[in-house]
Amino acid sequence: MENALISLIYPKAETQIRHENGTDIPNISDQVCRELSLDHLFGMKNRPLSDFFTEDPEVIRYRQDVFADLIRLPGIIETLNRILPILFDITELRRLDREMNASGESYLYSITEIELYVSCVDTLYNGLSPLREQMQAEGLIRLTDYINRIAQGEYYKDLNTRLKALASRIHEVRSITVGVNLDGTLRPVEAGVISINSEPFKSGRLLDKILRFSFRNDATTCIADLTPFGKGQSENRKEALLSAFNGAMEEVFRNSVRSWRAIVGEYVLENTDFILRLLPEIEFLSRSVSLMSQLRDKGCPLAFPELAPTEEKSFSATGLYNPDVALRIREKVVTNDFSFDDRGRIFILSGPNRGGKSVITCALGQAQAMAQLGLPVPAERARLSVTDGIFTHFPEGADDTIDKGRLGEECARLRTIFEQITPYSMILLDESLSSTGAYEASFIASELLAGFSLAGVRGIFSTHLHELAAAAEEINARTRAEGGSPIDTLVAGMEEGQRSFKITRTKPDGKSYARDIANKYGLSFEDIRTVIESKQTENRK
C-alpha cells in the first residue's frame, strides 16, 4: 500500500522493518540515556528514546532533512503538535472499545473514530498544504502529498458530508426514555428504549424544582433515581447499567450506521491505522524540536554533523557543549573543541573536582547520540562517524570511600561492557573505580585502558587519578604492537585558581591544581610564612 511507504523518520519501508527487527540499531540503552541526561532532555512519554537510534547513514540524512524543514518552517511542527491529542484520543477510544465491546462491533465508537480521523486529516491538510512548495524534506513532502490526495478526493468529501449528517443526530441525543415491564411481584422482566430525546431529563428534587420555578411532573422529569448511579454503589453495578444503556443505544443507531459502515469501514480503519503509525514518530519529532527551540532561545549553537565513514572512527567538534548544563544555568555555557585523531582515540581526562570533567564527558556522548537520532548536535560544527554502541560507566551517587562491595559491582559492570563493545563503539567512563583506594584504582584502571585500547574503541576515561594520566605512554607501549587505539591526555583547566571548564590537550600536572587552590586561599608556604611573621611582629609590640 502507498501509505506504508510514508514515514517521517525512515526513508523506505524495508528500512523501517529492519529497525523494527533490531537491525541497524546501535547499542544505546535506556540506562545510557539516563546517565547522559537524554531522557530528561527529550522527555519522551509513550516510547523510549532508545527506540529511535540508528547507525544507518541514509536514515540519519533523511531525518536531518526533516529536522531542517521543521526548524525552517515552524508551521509544520505546530500542525503535527495539533494532531497529537487527536491521535491519543483515537488510541484511547480503541482501548475503551476493546474493553466495552469485545466483539469490536461498536457502531457508536466507529462514528467517533471516523470523526477523529476526519479531524486529523483536515488539520494536516489545512496546516501542511500551504507550506508544500517550501518543503525540501522527502518525508514531509510524501506525507503532505498523500494527505492532499485524501482531502481532495471525492470519496473523502462524500464521507465528510454523510458523517456530519449522521453525527449531528447522535450528538443531539441528551437523554433516552426507558420502559420497564414488571411481573406480579414488581420484578423487572423486560426493559427497552421507548424514545431518544434532544433534551436532558430534569431532576425531580425539590431544590431543582424551586430553581426552575416548575412543580409539575412531565415526561422529562425524573421521579426516582436508578440506584446504580447513586453513592455507595459498586463499580460492577454501575458498569452493568452502563453496558445495558450502551447496548440499547447501539441498537437504536445500528440501522443508520450499518448501511454505510461496511463501505467506509475498511477505508477508514486503514487510513486511521496509517496515521496512528505516525504517532510515535510525531512525538519524537515534537520533543526533539522542543529541545532545539529551547537551546536556540538560549543562544546556543546547533549544527548538523557531517557524517564520516564508519571506519574512520571520527569525532571532531568545534564549540562543543553540554545541552543539559546549558539549559540549567543562567550564564553562557562554556564550549570546547574536541577531536579524536591518530594520536588519541581514547583520552584520559584529569583535573580538579568540579572542573568540567563530567560535563565534557557527557557532552561527547550527548552529541554522538543526538547525531544518531538524526538531530543537529550541540556544537558550532562537527564531523563524526556513527558508532554501533555507546557504553557508559558513571558514578551512582555513593561516597568515594573504600567499599569492596561497590568495587565488585563496578568491576562486574565494566566486564559486561567488554563483552559488548566492538572496534566501532564509544566508551565514556566518569570517575570509575572511585570506590577503592588510589593504588588499587590506578592499577585496575591501567588494565581497563589497555583493554579498551586493544578493543579499538574510542572515548573518554575521566578520572581524579593524576598518576593514571601519567601512565598513558606506558599503556600505549603495551598495546601499540597489537594495533591498539592510541591513548592521549586531556586536562580540565584552572586559571588563577578558578575553574575555567576549558579542556586542554596536554599532560597533567596534579601539583598545579593544588598550587592554584593553595594560592587562591592563601595557603601557599609563602603566604603562610607571611601570616606567621606578621603575627610574631604583632606579639612583640
Side-chain angles (χ1 to χ4, degrees):
M1 299 298 294
E2 181 186 10
N3 62 31
L5 299 175
I6 298 175
S7 168
L8 297 176
I9 63 175
Y10 296 107
K12 303 173 185 175
E14 52 266 32
T15 307
Q16 184 169 0
I17 292 171
R18 284 171 60 83
H19 277 75
E20 290 173 352
N21 292 337
T23 306
D24 297 331
I25 298 180
N27 191 335
I28 305 176
S29 67
D30 293 336
Q31 180 174 354
V32 169
C33 289
R34 287 193 298 272
E35 292 191 329
L36 293 177
S37 297
L38 293 170
D39 57 342
H40 166 72
L41 286 170
F42 284 84
M44 296 291 291
K45 299 297 184 183
N46 295 282
R47 289 274 291 275
L49 187 66
S50 55
D51 284 357
F52 297 93
F53 291 111
T54 180
E55 55 185 276
D56 185 339
E58 183 183 11
V59 174
I60 293 175
R61 294 188 180 96
Y62 184 84
R63 295 180 186 180
Q64 287 180 345
D65 291 342
V66 170
F67 280 118
D69 270 5
L70 296 179
I71 294 169
R72 190 170 51 85
L73 303 171
I76 299 176
I77 198 64
E78 291 170 4
T79 298
L80 296 179
N81 282 336
R82 281 197 293 271
I83 72 166
L84 270 178
I86 302 175
L87 297 180
F88 288 134
D89 285 346
I90 295 175
T91 302
E92 178 66 9
L93 184 70
R94 289 191 173 186
R95 184 189 68 80
L96 292 173
D97 193 12
R98 287 192 301 269
E99 292 180 359
M100 297 292 293
N101 194 319
S103 66
E105 292 295 323
S106 172
Y107 293 96
L108 297 180
Y109 278 128
S110 303
I111 295 171
T112 306
E113 181 172 337
I114 295 170
E115 283 187 292
L116 290 171
Y117 162 73
V118 168
S119 175
C120 192
V121 170
D122 288 348
T123 301
L124 288 172
Y125 177 69
N126 294 328
L128 299 183
S129 294
L131 302 172
R132 167 64 175 81
E133 296 305 315
Q134 301 176 62
M135 295 177 183
Q136 298 177 3
E138 183 181 353
L140 291 169
I141 291 173
R142 284 182 189 172
L143 174 62
T144 303
D145 288 348
Y146 184 75
I147 292 297
N148 287 349
R149 285 194 293 274
I150 291 177
Q152 295 169 4
E154 291 301 320
Y155 195 101
Y156 180 78
K157 293 177 181 178
D158 181 60
L159 169 70
N160 220 336
T161 301
R162 297 173 67 183
L163 175 65
K164 288 178 181 178
L166 180 60
S168 65
R169 288 183 55 208
I170 295 173
H171 294 319
E172 286 175 0
V173 175
R174 290 294 178 266
S175 66
I176 62 174
T177 303
V178 176
V180 181
N181 289 330
L182 308 176
D183 64 11
T185 61
L186 300 183
R187 292 177 178 272
V189 292
E190 56 184 350
V193 174
I194 295 176
S195 66
I196 58 175
N197 314 305
S198 59
E199 296 292 332
F201 77 84
K202 304 179 183 69
S203 166
R205 289 185 289 271
L206 179 60
L207 178 60
D208 291 336
K209 288 184 176 184
I210 292 172
L211 292 176
R212 65 174 181 265
F213 303 105
S214 173
F215 288 86
R216 64 186 179 85
N217 292 326
D218 56 31
T220 60
T221 298
C222 176
I223 61 174
D225 290 334
L226 285 171
T227 56
F229 285 111
K231 294 182 179 180
Q233 300 299 322
S234 70
E235 288 300 319
N236 288 341
R237 296 188 66 186
K238 293 179 183 179
E239 197 66 43
L241 186 60
L242 182 61
S243 180
F245 282 147
N246 283 345
M249 292 294 289
E250 288 284 337
E251 189 64 33
V252 170
F253 289 100
R254 183 183 299 271
N255 291 332
S256 299
V257 181
R258 180 185 288 168
S259 61
W260 66 290
R261 183 174 188 260
I263 300 175
V264 302
E266 183 177 350
Y267 165 84
V268 171
L269 289 175
E270 177 185 320
N271 287 284
T272 305
D273 286 345
F274 148 66
I275 295 176
L276 283 178
R277 286 198 297 272
L278 291 178
L279 174 57
E281 296 187 7
I282 294 173
E283 185 196 12
F284 164 65
L285 296 176
S286 175
R287 299 284 181 174
S288 299
V289 171
S290 175
L291 171 60
M292 289 187 286
S293 298
Q294 293 177 64
L295 290 170
R296 288 182 180 277
D297 289 345
K298 291 271 292 188
C300 300
L302 289 166
F304 287 108
E306 176 189 350
L307 297 183
T310 302
E311 296 73 21
E312 281 190 19
K313 306 180 186 180
S314 175
F315 186 103
S316 177
T318 302
L320 179 69
Y321 63 92
N322 184 312
D324 186 44
V325 172
L327 293 176
R328 290 176 184 271
I329 62 176
R330 293 185 178 181
E331 59 270 26
K332 185 177 181 181
V333 69
V334 175
T335 65
N336 282 281
D337 297 343
F338 183 93
S339 65
F340 295 117
D341 55 31
D342 292 337
R343 293 187 298 115
R345 299 284 178 192
I346 301 173
F347 286 103
I348 303 173
L349 171 60
S350 59
N353 289 335
R354 302 185 181 276
K357 299 193 300 295
S358 299
V359 171
I360 192 67
T361 302
C362 273
L364 173 61
Q366 289 163 341
Q368 184 71 44
M370 290 172 68
Q372 294 193 222
L373 290 169
L375 273 71
V377 300
E380 295 171 9
R381 59 179 177 273
R383 182 177 186 274
L384 55 84
S385 305
V386 298
T387 69
D388 61 6
I390 300 176
F391 300 90
T392 57
H393 188 269
F394 288 6
E396 298 182 356
D399 293 333
D400 291 341
T401 57
I402 297 177
D403 180 346
K404 299 302 181 183
R406 183 174 165 229
L407 176 62
E409 292 176 1
E410 283 194 276
C411 291
R413 185 176 167 197
L414 288 164
R415 174 58 184 265
T416 300
I417 291 176
F418 274 105
E419 292 171 352
Q420 300 178 75
I421 57 175
T422 78
Y424 303 108
S425 301
M426 175 179 285
I427 55 100
L428 303 168
L429 282 67
D430 184 32
E431 298 291 1
S432 295
L433 306 173
S434 58
S435 58
T436 188
Y439 177 81
E440 293 87 349
S442 295
F443 176 81
I444 299 172
S446 295
E447 298 297 293
L448 288 174
L449 284 165
F452 285 127
S453 172
L454 195 62
V457 300
R458 57 194 183 273
I460 294 179
F461 192 126
S462 166
T463 181
H464 62 288
L465 302 169
H466 301 294
E467 57 271 31
L468 178 62
E473 281 305 316
E474 180 184 340
I475 300 171
N476 280 330
R478 295 175 61 186
T479 60
R480 187 177 293 118
E482 299 183 62
S485 293
I487 297 174
D488 203 355
T489 56
L490 297 171
V491 172
M494 295 281 289
E495 295 178 0
E496 299 179 354
Q498 300 288 333
R499 295 169 175 82
S500 67
F501 303 105
K502 283 290 187 179
I503 307 301
T504 307
R505 191 168 182 176
T506 186
K507 294 188 180 300
D509 177 7
K511 294 180 181 179
S512 65
Y513 310 133
R515 185 181 302 115
D516 285 339
I517 294 172
N519 289 335
K520 176 182 178 181
Y521 291 101
L523 293 177
S524 68
F525 176 71
E526 290 77 10
D527 291 330
I528 294 172
R529 180 166 57 186
T530 300
V531 171
I532 292 174
E533 290 175 348
S534 175
K535 190 69 174 178
Q536 289 174 343
T537 301
E538 289 180 6
N539 291 337
R540 284 195 294 267
K541 291 180 179 180

